[in-house]
Amino acid sequence: MSLRVAALLISLCFFSCEKTSIKTDPLAIVTVFTRQNCPISEYMCLPLRNAYRFFCDTLEQNILFQGFIPDPISSDSSIHQFQKEFDIPFSLTRDWNDNSSSSSIGAPGDHTLHYAPSVTPEVFVEFNGEIVYSGMIDNSYVSLGDWSEPTENYLFDVLIQIVNRESIIKNQTIAIGCNINY
């Protein structure tokens, strides 16, 4: 019996945050809307990847990171290529309803309609069943084409508060990026 328990514990150590969250309720859920061919989405892959690796791999926190692509021209193949090229360590799923009668090209999918992002990239952080942060990943873009080194890392900061069990003040920023067509 103890050998089975030890084997189970060892196997759990090899799961990423995303995989362990399937087994137990995640501490937090990070939902990002992104897409290929959006320069700001592509640039933000690095801070997203860094946050995932720090909180999930280094700190071994049970945080679910999930990505959705609200784009009618994305395919499983193009999403896989995007994920590979930008080394995105969490799942990306196309979130577009091709069968919607609201438009000839379809309409955003269920996740996009639920969270209602306005641009890609835009991130939502849920803790205890509530959205506690939404908006920019960091403030490296204050407007389209206006890039500078970030002075605020909103995603990292809220996840630190969650992990450290600090009191969390709900916050929202206006995300800068490529428009989502509704």
Side-chain angles (χ1 to χ4, degrees), residues 12 27-28 39-40 47 60 72 75 85 98 103 125 135 138 140 142 151 159 164 177 179:
L12 286 176
L27 176 61
I40 298 174
E60 297 180 345
S75 66
E85 181 179 346
D98 292 317
S103 167
V125 178
D138 66 28
S140 54
V142 292
T151 58
L159 291 177
N164 289 336
N179 288 331

Side-chain angles (χ1 to χ4, degrees), residues 41-57:
S41 285
E42 292 173 353
Y43 174 80
M44 286 298 162
C45 289
L46 177 62
L48 281 169
R49 181 175 59 248
N50 289 345
Y52 178 93
R53 292 202 170 125
F54 179 74
F55 289 99
C56 296
D57 297 340

Side-chain angles (χ1 to χ4, degrees), residues 73-93:
I73 62 171
S74 294
S75 66
D76 290 343
S77 175
S78 68
I79 292 169
H80 176 73
Q81 182 60 36
F82 176 66
Q83 190 166 13
K84 183 178 174 182
E85 181 179 346
F86 290 94
D87 191 22
I88 301 168
F90 51 86
S91 68
L92 289 179
T93 305

Side-chain angles (χ1 to χ4, degrees), residues 85-114:
E85 181 179 346
F86 290 94
D87 191 22
I88 301 168
F90 51 86
S91 68
L92 289 179
T93 305
R94 183 175 184 258
D95 193 43
W96 192 264
N97 182 356
D98 292 317
N99 299 319
S100 173
S101 60
S102 64
S103 167
S104 62
I105 61 168
D110 292 338
H111 291 94
T112 305
L113 293 174
H114 172 75

Side-chain angles (χ1 to χ4, degrees), residues 14-79:
F14 292 106
F15 286 115
S16 70
C17 287
E18 184 177 327
K19 292 177 183 170
T20 58
S21 64
I22 294 168
K23 304 262 183 233
T24 62
D25 288 334
L27 176 61
I29 300 171
V30 175
T31 302
V32 64
F33 291 86
T34 189
R35 71 171 169 220
Q36 315 95 300
N37 303 317
C38 172
I40 298 174
S41 285
E42 292 173 353
Y43 174 80
M44 286 298 162
C45 289
L46 177 62
L48 281 169
R49 181 175 59 248
N50 289 345
Y52 178 93
R53 292 202 170 125
F54 179 74
F55 289 99
C56 296
D57 297 340
T58 302
L59 297 183
E60 297 180 345
Q61 295 296 305
N62 185 13
I63 298 173
L64 171 64
F65 280 72
Q66 58 186 358
F68 296 100
I69 298 181
D71 183 22
I73 62 171
S74 294
S75 66
D76 290 343
S77 175
S78 68
I79 292 169

